[in-house]
Amino acid sequence: MRLILSFLMACAGLMPAAAAQADELVVVELFTSQGCSSCPPADALLGELAQREDILALSLHVDYWDYIGWADTFATPEYTARQHGYGHAAGSTVVYTPQMVIGGVDHVVGYRPMNVADLINLHRAQPNPVEIVVTRQGAEYVVRAETGMPPPRPMMVVQLVGYSPHEEVNISRGENAGQVAEYHNVVTSWQVIGEWDGAGVFQSRVRPQDEAPLAVIVQTSGYGAILGAARLD
């Protein structure tokens, strides 16, 4: 608790949550596992971040700890592959939990709240180059993205992410046996809805399949920088 309080104090200089704009979200991805004994502090930290309007905090559960004796109930091979993709993009073949990736480019391994706070500050100081506008039309959302980045530009991927705001899990085996674990913004789906070269306006229609919250993330292809993000309210 003392370290989390220090983290929040370090972030006090950021823009107040109520003043945040949709196109100024900082995306923080936590790669975690129910079978990882060192992950609960990072899970709690992500829960603190998930309360902030200026941060899109996402918890992605990986499956490579399942062999210890407890199969993570949220893990999928796709989220493990995403973490490996980030590792390869950074020149590494090794992955760890917990690991936070801020803005698609900055990696923090382990529970290091002050490092996370510093990186969030850096990303908040740099406006996102892609502006995303989401409007509701009946049962669908219309997603529009524009950018003023000059050519040449790498291809971008526009991704739709679904997540569950809060989950509790009774863990009966493995390193965290006996714990009732809390998780926040647990990713339940991650799909590419389009590729975009930045020319003109990107537009796509999205029809939600359930009531889960959704977000749009525009990212440089090859697990590069996140250039824009917006929640679908």
Side-chain angles (χ1 to χ4, degrees):
M1 289 297 296
R2 187 172 300 172
L3 285 176
I4 292 178
L5 178 59
S6 297
F7 170 83
L8 294 176
M9 292 174 64
C11 286
L14 297 178
M15 179 184 294
Q21 299 297 316
D23 60 343
E24 295 302 323
L25 287 176
V26 176
V27 178
V28 178
E29 300 170 64
L30 169 65
F31 293 94
T32 186
S33 172
Q34 295 168 10
C36 163
S37 61
S38 58
C39 285
D43 296 323
L45 177 57
L46 191 89
E48 298 287 346
L49 294 175
Q51 303 303 311
R52 293 179 47 169
E53 292 297 324
D54 58 339
I55 296 173
L56 177 59
L58 300 170
S59 178
L60 293 97
H61 287 240
V62 298
D63 61 0
Y64 50 80
W65 285 108
D66 290 359
Y67 77 94
I68 291 179
W70 177 259
D72 191 302
T73 57
F74 305 128
T76 73
E78 289 78 14
Y79 305 152
T80 301
R82 183 170 178 82
Q83 187 183 23
H84 278 287
Y86 275 130
H88 292 155
S92 173
T93 59
V94 181
V95 293
Y96 305 88
T97 55
Q99 179 183 26
M100 284 187 176
V101 179
I102 296 97
V105 292
D106 290 308
H107 301 193
V108 177
V109 175
Y111 176 62
R112 294 182 170 85
M114 300 307 292
N115 290 1
V116 173
D118 290 341
L119 290 169
I120 289 174
N121 272 308
L122 289 174
H123 283 270
R124 286 293 297 150
Q126 302 171 5
N128 290 330
V130 173
E131 180 181 1
I132 303 172
V133 177
V134 180
T135 56
R136 187 76 183 252
Q137 292 187 1
E140 295 183 325
Y141 290 98
V142 177
V143 177
R144 291 170 56 89
E146 294 184 77
T147 181
M149 291 190 301
R153 295 184 289 267
M155 187 69 72
M156 292 174 278
V157 288
V158 184
Q159 302 158 107
L160 182 68
V161 182
Y163 55 94
S164 174
H166 182 258
E167 297 283 351
E168 289 189 359
V169 179
N170 290 291
I171 300 175
S172 60
R173 296 186 301 279
E175 291 186 347
N176 292 323
Q179 293 190 29
V180 179
E182 285 193 76
Y183 300 102
H184 302 269
N185 287 8
V186 177
V187 173
T188 55
S189 63
W190 196 299
Q191 65 183 94
V192 174
I193 60 174
E195 293 188 339
W196 179 41
D197 63 2
V201 177
F202 173 90
Q203 181 166 307
S204 180
R205 289 181 173 270
V206 174
R207 181 181 290 269
Q209 301 301 308
D210 51 41
E211 297 300 316
L214 296 169
V216 172
I217 294 174
V218 178
Q219 185 171 18
T220 306
S221 62
Y223 300 97
I226 290 175
L227 307 173
R231 297 183 181 90
L232 278 63
D233 296 322

